[in-house]
């Protein structure tokens, strides 16, 4: 029996519950392929799952292999799986399993990986890119000539949100700490506000058409952002809901991203065309995954971190 390395949790808790287990290499089921993993990427929401905070609406069975993103090479093709051949480079968003040397995946969630970036780096695209796409285009309805505020542009999703809003033709104002400011400017922000220097509203010259909130906020901080949006504008939050007063004429919503292979393929095309860059802040081995969780929970990560098995 061929074994492989994985990063799994057998119980919920702090980062110390992450274990590096040797398990049998899986075989692809009907409609699936087996992927030799080049990388997964870390998403902060996985730390919440690991801690047991998502069980009410995203229950998982234990032991659970971490890793929602995957980039790799097709190693084996299951019965009924069409569209890919052995050796093809693929990426996709999974329900679990990316933090391993091999993972089985339905072909329905996979697209061809971009050739313009290293395969491991492409693991940063699926979940963060899809979340950004849906926030900007579906829910934010960002269009040319609009003024957009990206709150939390220094994170992994924020980098894609900034680039996609700029690609849509908007004027992009982004909040970020000093350590992330230069990266956010490279991603296309027209102006960067240091949120650690004081209230965002005090530095904002006029109202915005759309607020895209990507960070958890205290109730007072969330309430302070809503008045920055003009009447008729939109608020989209992927973290703490940001409510707007009923008489403000602002549409406010809290979104949860879904898997969408057509959108993922469109993101790959933008990467290939050079319109969207994949900003990797760090590459770490699988055995460092617990440390990455700790650093994220301490607010010490920037952009996307890829995990190499």
């Amino acid at each position: 029996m061929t074994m492989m390395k994985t990063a799994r949790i057998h119980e919920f808790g702090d980062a110390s519950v992450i274990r590096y287990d040797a398990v049998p290499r899986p075989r692809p089921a009907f409609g699936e392929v087996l992927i030799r993993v080049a990388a997964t990427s870390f998403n902060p929401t996985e730390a919440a799952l690991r801690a047991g905070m998502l069980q009410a609406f995203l229950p998982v069975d234990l032991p659970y292999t971490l890793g929602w993103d995957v980039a790799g090479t097709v190693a084996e093709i299951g019965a009924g799986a069409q569209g890919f051949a052995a050796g093809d480079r693929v990426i996709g968003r999974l329900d679990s399993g990316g933090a391993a040397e091999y993972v089985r995946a339905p072909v329905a969630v996979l697209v061809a990986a971009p050739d313009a970036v290293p395969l491991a780096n492409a693991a940063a695209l699926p979940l963060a890119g899809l979340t950004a796409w849906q926030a900007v285009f579906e829910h934010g309805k960002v269009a040319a000539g609009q003024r957009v505020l990206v709150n939390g542009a220094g994170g992994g999703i924020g980098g894609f949100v900034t680039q996609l809003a700029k690609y849509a033709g908007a004027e992009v104002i982004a909040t970020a700490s000093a350590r992330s400011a230069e990266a956010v400017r490279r991603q296309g922000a027209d102006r960067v506000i240091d949120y650690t220097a004081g209230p965002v509203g005090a530095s904002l010259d006029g109202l915005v058409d759309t607020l895209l909130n990507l960070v958890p906020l205290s109730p007072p901080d969330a309430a302070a952002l809503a008045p920055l949006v003009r009447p008729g504008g939109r608020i989209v939050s992927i973290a703490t809901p940001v409510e707007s007063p009923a008489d403000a004429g602002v549409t406010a919503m809290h979104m949860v991203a879904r898997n969408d292979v057509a959108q993922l393929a469109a993101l790959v095309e933008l990467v290939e065309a050079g319109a969207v860059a994949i900003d990797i802040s760090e590459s770490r081995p699988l055995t460092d995954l617990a440390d990455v969780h700790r650093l994220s929970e301490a607010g010490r990560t920037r952009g996307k971190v890829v995990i190499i098995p």
Side-chain angles (χ1 to χ4, degrees), residues 180-192:
S180 300
E182 185 53 40
V184 171
R185 289 189 185 93
R186 288 197 307 269
Q187 289 161 346
D190 297 287
R191 184 181 173 199
V192 179

Side-chain angles (χ1 to χ4, degrees), residues 41-67:
S41 82
F42 170 73
N43 295 286
T45 310
E46 289 188 75
L49 180 144
R50 182 217 72 223
M53 298 168 59
L54 305 186
Q55 277 295 91
F57 61 94
L58 187 63
V60 299
D61 296 326
L62 300 176
Y64 176 85
T65 304
L66 297 164

Side-chain angles (χ1 to χ4, degrees), residues 176-178 193-200 202-203:
S177 65
I193 295 175
D194 184 352
Y195 65 87
T196 67
V200 173
S203 301

Side-chain angles (χ1 to χ4, degrees), residues 204-288:
L204 191 65
D205 180 18
L207 302 180
V208 299
D209 298 289
T210 305
L211 164 64
L212 302 171
N213 177 57
L214 313 176
V215 295
L217 299 168
S218 67
D221 288 341
L225 285 178
L228 304 181
V229 182
R230 66 165 181 81
R234 306 180 74 85
I235 298 172
V236 179
S237 181
I238 67 163
T240 310
V242 179
E243 303 294 340
S244 177
D247 59 352
V250 173
T251 300
M253 69 160 298
H254 180 235
M255 66 160 281
V256 176
R258 70 181 190 283
N259 211 347
D260 190 308
V261 292
Q263 292 176 353
L264 184 56
L267 282 162
V268 168
E269 289 183 5
L270 291 180
V271 172
E272 296 283 48
V276 168
I278 300 177
D279 178 22
I280 304 300
S281 63
E282 199 173 2
S283 295
R284 302 283 290 266
L286 184 65
T287 49
D288 281 359

Side-chain angles (χ1 to χ4, degrees), residues 11-141:
E11 61 184 314
F12 299 112
D14 63 22
S16 66
V17 302
I18 297 176
R19 288 169 40 177
Y20 306 104
D21 296 333
V23 302
R25 184 189 299 177
R27 298 293 304 274
F30 185 88
E32 294 182 338
V33 296
L34 183 69
I35 300 170
R36 181 178 178 87
V37 178
T40 187
S41 82
F42 170 73
N43 295 286
T45 310
E46 289 188 75
L49 180 144
R50 182 217 72 223
M53 298 168 59
L54 305 186
Q55 277 295 91
F57 61 94
L58 187 63
V60 299
D61 296 326
L62 300 176
Y64 176 85
T65 304
L66 297 164
W68 291 339
D69 291 312
V70 67
T73 305
V74 174
E76 186 178 346
I77 301 172
Q82 298 180 354
F84 296 103
D88 284 353
R89 293 159 34 107
V90 295
I91 62 171
R93 175 183 165 181
L94 309 177
D95 293 329
S96 66
E101 290 184 287
Y102 290 84
V103 64
R104 43 186 274 199
V107 293
V109 304
L110 302 175
V111 301
D115 293 321
V117 298
L119 182 56
N121 289 9
L125 186 62
L127 190 144
L130 286 170
T131 304
W133 182 284
Q134 291 163 25
V136 171
F137 296 122
E138 284 190 5
H139 305 300
K141 301 188 185 303

